[in-house]
Amino acid sequence: KAVRAFAQQGYKVYPVNPNEPEVEGFKTYPTIEDVPERPGIISSFPVRSNGQKLEIVQGLPVNEFSRGKIDVTVKELTEERDMVREILK
């Protein structure tokens, strides 16, 4: 659900998972180097592992404090990315 939520917010998503061909209907890539374009922001999700397979942990509660920190981090990363793009023009 997390991957789809990012996509519904307008983000391009490239799930990286060496153990699954797709996640939530999105094609996965075995490594970050295999993603077809350089990502502007990389986000990760809490996962469970049995030593062979990773599974995104669904339904973790996010309280207001944590949501605020997540939103600030995404905003800061987006601003930094945009500043770098301006510098590199």
Side-chain angles (χ1 to χ4, degrees):
K1 296 178 184 178
V3 174
R4 185 164 306 290
F6 271 98
Q8 288 172 342
Q9 293 293 316
Y11 293 99
K12 289 182 184 177
V13 292
Y14 299 106
V16 175
N17 185 332
N19 300 316
E20 299 292 333
E22 67 175 46
V23 171
E24 297 177 32
F26 292 88
K27 176 185 186 238
T28 61
Y29 299 88
T31 69
I32 192 73
E33 290 81 19
D34 295 311
V35 172
E37 63 182 275
R38 290 185 66 115
I41 296 177
I42 299 172
S43 185
S44 63
F45 306 101
V47 297
R48 287 187 194 103
S49 173
N50 65 7
Q52 296 183 9
K53 184 176 180 180
L54 297 175
E55 174 188 357
I56 295 174
V57 177
Q58 301 288 339
L60 289 177
V62 178
N63 61 28
E64 282 186 50
F65 175 80
S66 297
R67 171 53 53 202
K69 294 293 185 184
I70 292 167
D71 292 344
V72 167
T73 300
V74 169
K75 182 177 184 283
E76 289 174 353
L77 289 171
T78 302
E79 289 171 353
E80 288 176 17
R81 179 202 60 202
D82 294 344
M83 284 190 296
V84 169
R85 284 183 177 162
E86 278 298 312
I87 291 168
L88 295 176
K89 278 186 177 179

